[in-house]
Amino acid sequence: MNELPLYLDYCATTPCDPRVVEQMLPYFGNYFGNAASKDHHYGWMAKEAIEFAREQVAELIGARPQQVIFTSGATESINLALKGLVEGSGRKGNHIITTKVEHEAVLDSCRYLEQQGNTITYLEVNKEGDFSLEALERAIRPDTLAIAIMYANNETGVINPVKEIGAIAKKYQVLFMCDATQAVGKIPVDVQIDGIDLLCFSAHKIYGPKGVGALFISKKLRRTLVFKQQHGGAHEGGYRGGTLNTAGIVGFGRAATICSEEMEMEGARLQTLRNRFEASLLKNVTGLVVNGGTNRLPHVSNILLSGIDAEGLLLKVSKYLALSRGSACSGLTQQVSHVLTAMGLTKEEAHQTVRISLGRFTKMEDMLYAITILSDAIKEMLSEKRLNIVKSS
Amino acid sequence: MKEIKQILKAYEIARQKGQRVALATVVHVEGSSYRGPGARMLVNEDGTLTGAISGGCLEGDALRKALMAIVENKTLLTTYDTSDDDDAIFGMGLGCNGIIRVLIEPINHKDNANPIELLREAMRTRKASVIVTFFSLRDKWSQLQGTHLLIKNDSAVFKSGIFALPVDIFLKDIHKTFEQQYTCFVKYETSGISAENTTLTAIFEYLEPNVSLVIAGAGNDVFPLVNMAEILGWQITLVDGRPAYATTSRFPSCQIVVSDADKAFDNVLLDDRTAVVLMSHNYHYDKSLLKVLLSENYVPYIGMLGPKKKKDRILAELDEAGVLWQDEALIRLFSPIGLNIGAETPEEIALSIIAEIKAIFAKRESGFLRDYPGKIHSRNNQIINSRL
């Protein structure tokens, strides 16, 4: 086996913490039961494990266990929250306020709801990636059902003023749905303090397994307010049908507890590494710009490399480093990041932007290595470019 | 041919720089595609590509898969199914309609018999060869896959990689490929032969030597012809009696022979992949060369610039002088030279000559594809079962 590239794309997904894997293994073996089997030992053991995991996950976001339901991931949670709310409102033509820099899971759901006769307001952001709270307040109308704004941005790491949004939502008696996929487990998230009614997040971003997510539904929302989107049984309090992924949920629970315990230290450590990385890279190569303001997630860095084709750079260093450009969801065809263009970057600049995201297993020497590899590769590409200009002129 | 040459060159540069590479080879195509089996692309670890496996639609993805295979140091078979218009994965209409299988092999520089060295060996002499590449439709990471065998027409055998199966097993299919002169596919069950019980498909790729173009004449009207032949990657030899015209500074990519007409071909290899074009604009020079070509040689294509009257006069004079040739020899003689495309300028004439030579070597009638009832590419894609 060859040496694998250094992973610096923790915003895309995280490796399972070995402690999480260890916790999950018995549930693939002896404890394979279906949590919905009410009449035997196997079912009881599975249910017990899931309820414990529910407590662990709830604790991480300051919720009560019965307010958390498990899904297949953040995307499903978002779909269930938005579509479930609209359907549950019992009226036609609802209004939802979101921003232009949400994750595709929110934007795509919103566009679908628009086609179904609802109205969506997409708030603009400034070059720092911040939207205006005044604009949010102004956008609220009598038919506004909900505000759907993310906790922190997946491309830039920009953290939104969630508490203030929660207060506005409360003031106007609209619901606040928050996609907290990038924030949960990285910075303190508390649904009570933040005034959040629906919170979406997933296990694989917090060192748990893929294919598991959660939706927090505040108790002020009765079940009839969020309509089930996946039929197939009365699982998860009637919010979501389908046999639960016991092992995955157990892993999610363990991952949540580790985050509860280690998040503060880990965040501080990663912020130091991240800041040092940005400072060194900016010193080594002139003309780089860090996208997003100062209030960012501690482990994310989104950098504009003027004159450098990000795709070419990432391929060039792919043997050594695993990074991403903009959002990883665009697939094979090059699509400009909607987040960066909303922040005022040109199409060209968006193609010159890379995202570096650190995580639990990132060490100081890793970052020194990344600084060297990236600086050298960028300098090489810039000098090749100059050479070509000289040649052609 | 040209692609393989370019790949060899790029490989050499990468090797000197210590960069790792992977070779991507189209090993099978069902339905239609822009490039057929045998199309190759070299992927450098820095993300640069040499050669092509498609019209550009698959390269981006294959590049990433190759970078992955380099890091994993494992051979990988990847399948692109463009037969469905509503392709959900690529999300774009590729316009092709086929299933394309590409084998991606990381190359070990230290191995003197790695797949690229086999290609180098295939290119080294003007002998036809068969390259045997194995792939598994059952296990795309099977480590029995790879470019493992090269057999030259003079029966020299070169082996590459860890390959458990004895060569003898394939001799029958190798001979068949040489006889038929086209690429074929055979499926083998390896149970009882190899430790691994699996099914391997082999592509017996028939590689003909490069087209060799011998041009008599080194005047300025030859430049476009040389340029076009160069683009096609043909091997070019220039023959002329005038040392001031036939120089390497005027024709750096050509082998130059300065000689009187009677000795002109003494040191020129005229084999069954050679085309000779007579355009010296010197009646006697052309006539002497034609005499040799008709009576002593069997090159599949002899083209001579000039009107029909010139040809008739030369043939009559040769006949009178007692030169003997077989009737078939005249079938190989194309004069006036070129396809009927209304060529006037030296560039247009070069185009019509090049197209004619191409058609003769491909055994095609030329004409409009629009009116051609057969398949555009004469490719065989049938996989034959072999019982061992």
Side-chain angles (χ1 to χ4, degrees):
Chain A
M1 182 72 172
N2 283 265
E3 206 172 312
L4 291 172
L6 173 65
Y7 190 76
L8 288 174
D9 198 14
Y10 282 82
C11 278
T13 191
T14 56
C16 251
D17 191 298
R19 294 170 284 184
V20 169
V21 176
E22 197 189 342
Q23 198 85 20
M24 287 165 68
L25 286 176
Y27 295 90
F28 292 107
N30 285 342
Y31 305 126
F32 62 87
N34 185 333
S37 297
K38 295 208 168 17
D39 304 311
H40 54 64
H41 182 76
Y42 296 94
W44 300 329
M45 283 299 285
K47 184 161 188 294
E48 196 56 35
I50 284 168
E51 290 325 310
F52 181 54
R54 205 184 300 278
E55 289 166 29
Q56 293 174 306
V57 170
E59 194 198 344
L60 180 61
I61 57 164
R64 288 173 45 202
Q66 58 268 40
Q67 298 172 312
V68 172
I69 68 155
F70 289 116
T71 64
S72 65
T75 300
E76 190 198 325
S77 300
I78 290 165
N79 272 271
L80 173 54
L82 288 174
K83 294 179 195 167
L85 266 186
V86 168
E87 229 181 276
S89 73
R91 59 176 195 216
K92 277 200 163 174
N94 284 289
H95 176 236
I96 292 172
I97 304 165
T98 186
T99 74
K100 286 194 162 172
V101 296
E102 295 300 304
H103 188 273
E104 211 39 53
V106 168
L107 292 177
D108 206 23
S109 299
C110 283
R111 285 191 290 264
Y112 167 78
L113 290 171
E114 252 176 333
Q115 286 168 3
Q116 302 300 308
N118 300 285
T119 318
I120 314 284
T121 299
Y122 299 92
L123 297 175
E124 306 275 345
V125 298
N126 62 18
K127 67 181 196 319
E128 252 83 52
D130 299 319
F131 69 92
S132 134
L133 286 166
E134 290 75 43
L136 169 65
E137 219 168 328
R138 275 200 307 276
I140 295 174
R141 322 188 305 207
D143 62 340
T144 302
L145 175 67
I147 298 167
I149 294 182
M150 66 197 336
Y151 213 108
N153 189 274
N154 53 305
E155 291 191 32
T156 57
V158 168
I159 302 171
N160 283 323
V162 175
K163 225 176 288 176
E164 287 78 358
I165 305 170
I168 292 173
K170 199 172 174 188
K171 181 174 158 193
Y172 293 92
Q173 290 191 316
V174 297
L175 298 167
F176 178 21
M177 183 288 242
C178 184
D179 166 16
T181 311
Q182 295 294 342
V184 167
K186 312 293 165 58
I187 54 174
V189 171
D190 190 306
V191 289
Q192 304 281 348
I193 298 170
D194 296 333
I196 294 166
D197 298 306
L198 294 139
L199 189 87
C200 311
F201 54 109
S202 73
H204 79 99
K205 307 277 193 197
I206 62 165
Y207 309 91
K210 291 164 188 63
V212 193
L215 173 63
F216 157 82
I217 305 176
S218 80
K219 67 170 186 248
K220 80 175 184 212
L221 286 164
R222 286 190 320 270
R223 184 174 318 156
T224 47
L225 272 178
V226 180
F227 267 31
K228 155 148 79 167
Q229 296 299 307
Q230 181 164 312
H231 297 82
H235 310 81
E236 294 302 89
Y239 283 115
R240 189 224 189 224
T243 299
L244 289 171
N245 171 2
T246 311
I249 290 168
V250 166
F252 194 3
R254 180 75 178 113
T257 300
I258 297 172
C259 285
S260 298
E261 289 164 356
E262 301 179 358
M263 183 167 63
E264 204 184 323
M265 291 278 284
E266 194 171 281
R269 185 180 73 86
L270 293 180
Q271 184 149 25
T272 311
L273 288 185
R274 193 272 314 266
N275 291 349
R276 175 159 179 181
F277 167 79
E278 285 181 353
S280 303
L281 200 66
L282 262 59
K283 198 182 81 189
N284 287 354
V285 189
T286 49
L288 305 192
V289 181
V290 177
N291 294 317
T294 46
N295 190 23
R296 289 182 288 142
L297 290 172
H299 61 292
V300 186
S301 191
N302 188 294
I303 301 179
L304 168 61
L305 315 159
S306 293
I308 295 286
D309 172 47
E311 185 185 16
L313 175 69
L314 297 197
L315 288 175
K316 191 178 166 75
V317 302
S318 69
K319 197 182 139 193
Y320 312 100
L321 301 176
L323 320 172
S324 86
R325 55 194 151 111
S327 171
C329 298
S330 313
L332 269 180
T333 44
Q334 269 215 46
Q335 256 165 22
V336 179
S337 150
H338 65 277
V339 175
L340 298 175
T341 44
M343 287 164 68
L345 270 73
T346 63
K347 257 188 180 182
E348 201 181 17
E349 286 170 331
H351 283 310
Q352 300 176 345
T353 300
V354 295
R355 180 186 71 185
I356 296 105
S357 44
L358 293 61
R360 185 171 293 163
F361 306 106
T362 311
K363 297 188 282 290
M364 171 64 96
E365 54 263 40
D366 293 338
M367 293 320 290
L368 297 177
Y369 176 74
I371 291 164
T372 312
I373 298 275
L374 272 180
S375 307
D376 290 354
I378 294 169
K379 282 180 197 162
E380 202 180 308
M381 284 175 82
L382 286 174
S383 72
E384 270 168 24
K385 210 173 149 188
R386 273 193 292 271
L387 208 67
N388 285 340
I389 291 167
V390 173
K391 265 187 203 164
S392 62
S393 63
Chain B
M1 282 310 126
K2 186 181 184 183
E3 190 163 71
I4 294 178
K5 274 198 222 163
Q6 288 169 328
I7 285 174
L8 291 176
K9 203 169 149 193
Y11 171 69
E12 213 37 58
I13 294 167
R15 207 168 61 134
Q16 280 162 18
K17 285 189 182 168
Q19 289 170 321
R20 296 174 61 190
V21 298
L23 181 68
T25 307
V26 176
V27 288
H28 192 249
V29 173
E30 257 171 72
S32 74
S33 72
Y34 180 66
R35 297 295 309 270
R40 288 182 171 84
M41 172 171 90
L42 191 77
V43 180
N44 187 305
E45 64 173 24
D46 70 4
T48 50
L49 303 176
T50 308
I53 53 162
S54 76
C57 20
L58 307 180
E59 273 75 5
D61 188 67
L63 159 63
R64 285 162 174 81
K65 286 207 162 73
L67 292 175
M68 176 176 83
I70 288 175
V71 169
E72 291 291 324
N73 199 20
K74 281 184 194 158
T75 299
L76 165 71
L77 182 76
T78 174
T79 300
Y80 296 101
D81 190 343
T82 63
S83 59
D84 189 353
D85 273 349
D86 309 313
D87 192 315
I89 298 162
F90 291 102
M92 47 184 166
L94 294 180
C96 325
N97 193 15
I99 302 170
I100 302 152
R101 300 189 197 277
V102 181
L103 189 72
I104 299 171
E105 302 173 80
I107 301 298
N108 177 4
H109 290 318
K110 292 192 187 108
D111 179 3
N112 295 329
N114 68 39
I116 292 181
E117 296 300 339
L118 290 195
L119 290 178
R120 194 197 306 282
E121 193 52 48
M123 293 292 107
R124 208 173 51 82
T125 57
R126 288 187 63 77
K127 287 267 187 281
S129 47
V130 171
I131 284 196
V132 193
T133 304
F134 296 87
F135 56 99
S136 165
L137 294 173
R138 280 204 199 144
D139 172 12
K140 57 186 193 167
W141 284 103
S142 165
Q143 293 313 294
L144 293 176
Q145 300 181 118
T147 307
H148 284 314
L149 277 177
L150 168 72
I151 303 93
K152 300 284 285 191
N153 209 358
D154 48 12
S155 76
V157 175
F158 303 88
K159 277 191 268 186
S160 168
I162 19 161
F163 192 58
L165 302 178
V167 178
D168 303 0
I169 295 171
F170 310 107
L171 284 180
K172 188 178 60 119
D173 295 312
I174 289 163
H175 288 310
K176 206 178 80 188
T177 310
F178 274 121
E179 257 168 51
Q180 296 178 334
Q181 304 199 343
Y182 62 73
T183 295
C184 65
F185 305 86
V186 185
K187 196 160 81 184
Y188 298 94
E189 303 287 338
T190 64
S191 55
I193 305 159
S194 152
E196 220 166 314
N197 184 0
T198 183
T199 307
L200 280 180
T201 308
I203 161 172
F204 292 84
E205 185 187 345
Y206 183 69
L207 274 179
E208 288 181 306
N210 207 354
V211 171
S212 165
L213 177 65
V214 177
I215 306 167
N220 289 349
D221 63 326
V222 168
F223 285 123
L225 186 63
V226 167
N227 289 342
M228 286 183 201
E230 237 183 278
I231 290 172
L232 294 171
W234 292 357
Q235 196 176 312
I236 314 161
T237 307
L238 273 188
V239 179
D240 199 300
R242 301 164 294 177
Y245 286 81
T247 65
T248 43
S249 59
R250 268 163 66 82
F251 300 99
S253 64
C254 305
Q255 199 191 326
I256 308 274
V257 175
V258 180
S259 167
D260 291 339
D262 53 334
K263 294 197 181 80
F265 288 148
D266 284 4
N267 292 312
V268 176
L269 178 71
L270 301 172
D271 58 17
D272 60 358
R273 294 282 293 165
T274 301
V276 182
V277 172
L278 305 177
M279 52 190 297
S280 69
H281 297 275
N282 176 327
Y283 182 83
H284 297 288
Y285 202 85
D286 281 0
K287 180 179 152 188
S288 306
L289 295 185
L290 187 61
K291 179 189 146 198
V292 178
L293 292 167
L294 287 178
S295 58
E296 296 171 25
N297 273 284
Y298 300 95
V299 294
Y301 178 93
I302 309 159
M304 184 167 69
L305 197 72
K308 206 175 225 156
K309 238 159 69 188
K310 173 185 169 187
K311 179 187 78 173
D312 292 343
R313 199 177 134 196
I314 288 182
L315 289 179
E317 284 175 14
L318 289 177
D319 193 33
E320 263 172 44
V323 179
L324 296 174
W325 60 80
Q326 291 176 326
D327 291 344
E328 296 96 83
L330 293 183
I331 298 172
R332 297 183 281 121
L333 175 61
F334 294 82
S335 186
I337 194 172
L339 293 185
N340 182 14
I341 56 170
E344 291 291 340
T345 65
E347 291 78 11
E348 290 166 356
I349 291 165
L351 180 67
S352 92
I353 295 173
I354 290 276
E356 181 172 73
I357 296 171
K358 174 61 200 155
I360 293 305
F361 279 98
K363 300 187 175 68
R364 288 293 182 107
E365 295 287 320
S366 80
F368 300 110
L369 278 176
R370 191 184 58 183
D371 306 330
Y372 184 62
K375 284 187 172 172
I376 299 174
H377 306 289
S378 44
R379 289 176 194 156
N380 160 45
N381 65 7
Q382 198 198 346
I383 300 176
I384 304 157
N385 277 312
S386 175
R387 293 257 167 259
L388 294 173

